[in-house]
Amino acid sequence: MRQGLPADLIARILGGAPKYTIAELEEKFPPRNLKEGAFVTRFAPSPTGFMHLGGLYGALIDCKLARQTDGVFMLRIEDTDTKREVESAVDIIVSSMHRFGLGYNNDDAYGPYYQSQRRDIYHSVAAHLMATGRAYPCFLTATDMEKIRENQKAAGFATGIYGEFARDRDLTDDEIAARLDAGEKPSVRLYSEGNPERRIFCKDAVRGSIGFPENNEDVVLIKSNDGLPTYHFAHLCDDHFMRTTHVVRGEEWLPSFPLHTALFRMMEWMPPMYIHTSTIDKIDAETGKQRKLSKRKDPEANVEYFLRDGWPVQAVLEYLGNIAASGYEEAKAKGQVKSIWDYEMRPKKIPMSGALFDMKKLEWWSKEFIATLAVDDLVAYVVAWADEFGGDTEKMQVADTDYLRAVLAIERDNPKRIRKDFVTWRQTLETVAFFWDALYVVNGEFEYNKDILREFLNVYDPADDKDAWWAKMVAIAEKFGVKNGDVAMNLRVALSGRTNTPDLYSIISVMGADRVRGRIGGILK
Ligand code: GLU
């Protein structure tokens, strides 16, 4: 500890007297009145204008852990980096949370939830630290720090502001006052008493207790340019006064773990339980190696991609949920649970590395999900997607909902044999595109047996039931000495342009007589 600073100097450093004492803050944000074992979690994104799939993964874990324990899940906007555009970026986060059904509960009593609006809290804690000799104003400029860095490098020392390199850590009150008089703007730094030769043990729910060298850096707590806190300091103040019990965050925060643990100890506050999650990886198509999803290279790193492309949000969540709680898929297959929300997620089992997101696997989750939908729900999802994200083609396809419904109802009536070829809303419309005349393309490669097609037109009666229709198909096959399947194939290709379709009789019924006659007639011309 250094000597504490007097209140008037602290007020000058912070640009105003602190609003609260620590005791007042403790009273303002009392421990929450929740049942034993309830988790208080928060998703704390920086508003970058981009919701990363890894962010969604973390938010799902936060939300799930809170929900399953009747706890509280908050959304906190970490907007202390004022260089970035905030409002629209927050909209992207809020709307993604909403769409994925990750409801949060930002109770006013523990807010505000924008860090930029919590300055009074940070300044009050910083003032307390300066008054008790655990923090100090530092007047180093960017140029000063660059010089220090270069010297450290040249001499083979670790870089950073620590020990003898922390020029201002022991300035006297007069020296501080003089610099303030000269108009210099300080940051507030931690007066670190850590020694890297000692170890500090930090507790992670998955990894257990991890030993690290103690932090000896006088890290910045409050920045000089805008008086806002650094992540480290904001995390300390916010997660304490929001009464967060569990911090779910990416493994990239592990190196800061000893610092954070030391900050909580210094305040004599109980640190939250940490769950450092794995990055979300993929197998690189070129190298075949597993690597982190890249914002730059991989469109699927952006949550927006799944919405635009029409992936069921439930499938994305189920799949991410299964990565975090790996027994889920099995429990679901056994019929023990219906959705990820019913399955208990165990913090200890959340993978600490190598979480792989494989689009093929997502396809499977998606097909399974769509196969569970009643036709009206399927129609509603497809229409909603097309209205929002579809182009002219998809909008045209959903314009006549009765026709769309009939098309999508094919092979959905037998619960044991629901078709599983629909993967996304977009791809669903593509798969059934041939039902619309404007999208139907004559298959020019197929060698039609025109006798068969002509004969079909002769005997075709739209009023035929399936048996009557099939009897006619068999009769045609006999007449021309071909297999039943050949007759069906000729019809199938003529009507759909494809060699592979769901049930042919259903297609004929849904298309209706005009289309059937028109398409076959077109080929016979
Ligand atoms: N704003 C930090 C991030 O986006 C939050 C980390 C945390 O959850 O504590 O990585």
Side-chain angles (χ1 to χ4, degrees):
M1 259 189 277
R2 47 159 284 145
Q3 197 180 341
L5 299 178
D8 57 334
L9 207 47
I10 291 175
R12 288 189 67 195
I13 292 164
L14 293 172
K19 193 161 169 192
Y20 308 106
T21 63
I22 298 294
E24 282 164 351
L25 286 171
E26 290 291 344
E27 202 177 320
K28 188 170 160 58
F29 305 111
R32 291 174 187 261
N33 193 6
L34 296 169
K35 71 169 206 206
E36 176 87 27
F39 282 43
V40 179
T41 60
R42 81 297 187 282
F43 176 44
S46 305
T48 57
F50 182 94
M51 175 92 164
H52 196 283
L53 189 66
L56 183 68
Y57 175 66
L60 167 64
I61 298 174
D62 282 315
C63 182
K64 173 69 181 131
L65 293 176
R67 253 188 224 181
Q68 75 184 15
T69 57
D70 294 325
V72 176
F73 168 50
M74 305 171 275
L75 171 65
R76 182 171 75 220
I77 302 299
E78 306 219 321
D79 59 343
T80 57
D81 190 349
T82 45
K83 286 186 279 301
R84 293 170 172 165
E85 171 64 36
V86 177
E87 259 335 295
S88 61
V90 171
D91 289 346
I92 291 175
I93 294 163
V94 169
S95 84
S96 308
M97 304 282 287
H98 182 73
R99 284 176 186 260
F100 283 88
L102 303 180
Y104 48 87
N105 174 7
N106 283 3
D107 177 351
D108 284 346
Y110 291 89
Y113 291 87
Y114 281 69
Q115 287 185 331
S116 58
Q117 295 167 16
R118 299 173 63 80
R119 196 183 291 252
D120 285 341
I121 300 171
Y122 309 125
H123 282 204
S124 299
V125 180
H128 165 80
L129 290 176
M130 287 191 278
T132 53
R134 290 167 167 113
Y136 64 92
C138 168
F139 298 89
L140 288 171
T141 61
T143 328
D144 294 333
M145 285 189 282
E146 191 42 45
K147 263 221 184 91
I148 293 173
R149 211 183 144 75
E150 276 166 21
N151 290 342
Q152 287 170 327
K153 276 193 169 158
F157 291 126
T159 56
I161 304 303
Y162 60 90
E164 63 193 282
F165 301 104
R167 186 193 71 187
D168 295 351
R169 75 194 313 245
D170 290 306
L171 291 183
T172 62
D173 295 359
D174 289 345
E175 285 168 327
I176 292 170
R179 285 186 181 268
L180 291 170
D181 288 343
E184 290 184 41
K185 283 190 105 188
S187 59
V188 177
R189 282 185 188 269
L190 170 73
Y191 191 83
S192 176
E193 291 179 294
N195 174 354
E197 284 173 10
R198 290 194 302 249
R199 287 177 90 68
I200 181 167
F201 287 87
C202 306
K203 226 167 151 209
D204 177 282
V206 189
R207 295 164 175 80
S209 183
I210 323 171
F212 291 92
E214 283 182 1
N215 166 69
N216 67 338
E217 275 196 62
D218 285 1
V219 293
V220 173
L221 304 178
I222 301 280
K223 296 178 280 175
S224 60
N225 56 343
D226 52 15
L228 283 169
T230 54
Y231 167 71
H232 309 301
F233 191 52
H235 158 49
L236 168 79
C237 302
D238 293 344
D239 285 317
H240 177 69
F241 288 117
M242 290 182 170
R243 308 293 174 180
T244 306
T245 63
H246 289 74
V247 166
V248 178
R249 63 183 185 183
E251 63 183 337
E252 68 276 14
W253 290 109
L254 278 172
S256 312
F257 204 3
L259 165 65
H260 297 162
T261 304
L263 290 175
F264 276 92
R265 284 196 195 161
M266 177 181 78
M267 292 303 296
E268 297 182 0
W269 290 342
M270 167 97 135
M273 177 55 86
Y274 290 85
I275 299 168
H276 289 94
T277 55
S278 164
T279 53
I280 297 287
D281 294 350
K282 74 179 281 180
I283 302 289
D284 187 281
E286 276 163 34
T287 64
K289 294 213 175 84
Q290 185 160 341
R291 64 163 172 80
K292 209 170 140 175
L293 266 187
S294 142
K295 184 168 163 178
R296 206 168 37 82
K297 286 193 233 159
D298 310 309
E300 73 272 28
N302 187 348
V303 164
E304 172 97 4
Y305 164 85
F306 296 94
L307 301 173
R308 290 201 167 281
D309 212 36
W311 292 83
V313 294
Q314 296 86 342
V316 177
L317 273 194
E318 295 258 294
Y319 181 31
L320 287 175
N322 189 61
I323 294 175
S326 65
Y328 169 58
E329 183 178 337
E330 217 183 300
K332 189 174 177 180
K334 285 192 192 143
Q336 293 161 348
V337 290
K338 279 217 175 70
S339 95
I340 187 69
W341 300 107
D342 311 329
Y343 183 73
E344 192 191 343
M345 183 180 284
R346 309 251 295 275
K348 278 196 168 72
K349 296 257 172 97
I350 295 171
M352 51 181 160
S353 62
L356 188 62
F357 191 88
D358 173 359
M359 290 299 284
K360 281 274 162 251
K361 194 76 205 192
L362 174 63
E363 282 183 16
W364 179 85
W365 282 96
S366 203
K367 285 178 182 171
E368 292 292 318
F369 171 75
I370 296 180
T372 64
L373 293 177
V375 64
D376 288 324
D377 294 331
L378 175 58
V379 172
Y381 280 121
V382 168
V383 171
W385 175 80
D387 284 347
E388 186 171 11
F389 296 112
D392 292 346
T393 304
E394 290 96 354
K395 290 204 163 74
M396 177 275 288
Q397 284 180 276
V398 302
D400 177 352
T401 15
D402 290 341
Y403 187 52
L404 177 68
R405 187 186 188 286
V407 167
L408 294 181
I410 294 175
E411 290 191 9
R412 293 196 92 71
D413 41 4
N414 180 348
K416 291 210 187 85
R417 278 194 305 120
I418 304 278
R419 63 191 295 186
K420 286 207 178 152
D421 56 340
F422 294 149
V423 186
T424 67
W425 315 133
R426 182 198 294 286
Q427 173 270 359
T428 296
L429 285 173
E430 270 164 23
T431 307
V432 298
F434 65 83
F435 278 93
W436 286 266
D437 292 337
L439 306 177
Y440 159 76
V441 187
V442 176
N443 185 330
E445 269 156 36
F446 187 76
E447 288 194 26
Y448 299 93
N449 180 331
K450 295 195 174 175
D451 292 334
I452 290 178
L453 293 178
R454 216 170 279 118
E455 180 66 9
F456 179 77
L457 279 190
N458 286 339
V459 300
Y460 170 55
D461 179 352
D464 284 343
D465 67 9
K466 191 163 185 176
D467 290 340
W469 166 77
W470 184 246
K472 285 179 178 172
M473 300 286 283
V474 172
I476 298 173
E478 269 167 22
K479 179 163 177 182
F480 294 100
V482 297
K483 291 191 201 120
N484 298 343
D486 292 334
V487 180
M489 186 56 86
N490 270 277
L491 264 185
R492 169 173 289 120
V493 178
L495 295 176
S496 71
R498 302 185 185 180
T499 51
N500 201 337
T501 67
D503 181 57
L504 186 54
Y505 176 75
S506 307
I507 291 178
I508 292 174
S509 320
V510 169
M511 276 188 177
D514 288 350
R515 278 196 191 86
V516 169
R517 291 202 178 100
R519 289 186 188 184
I520 297 177
I523 286 165
L524 290 176
K525 252 199 279 175

